Amino acid sequence: MVDGATMIVRTVFETVKQNQVLMEWYRPEIGPLLHETYQKRMADGTYGLVRC
């Protein structure tokens, strides 16, 4: 069971490391701004996919 949980955590971590957006989310220099923007958009209902 521990081996399975370790494998899941490792897989999630490796997937996150490959996603630039998720990596930026946790950078101290930009993360707080992203968090604030996300929370504001969720509160006012403007969060969603951008249409081109």
Side-chain angles (χ1 to χ4, degrees):
M1 189 180 244
V2 172
D3 290 338
T6 301
M7 184 179 69
I8 291 169
V9 170
R10 184 174 293 133
T11 300
V12 169
F13 182 72
E14 290 300 320
T15 301
V16 169
K17 279 180 27 180
Q18 294 173 19
N19 185 314
Q20 188 64 35
V21 172
L22 291 177
M23 290 303 291
E24 294 295 322
W25 184 260
Y26 293 104
R27 282 186 45 205
E29 310 85 47
I30 195 168
L33 177 60
L34 292 174
H35 293 216
E36 180 182 327
T37 300
Y38 171 77
Q39 289 174 348
K40 182 178 184 291
R41 288 184 177 180
M42 287 297 290
D44 65 17
T46 60
Y47 180 76
L49 298 175
V50 176
R51 296 176 193 226
C52 298

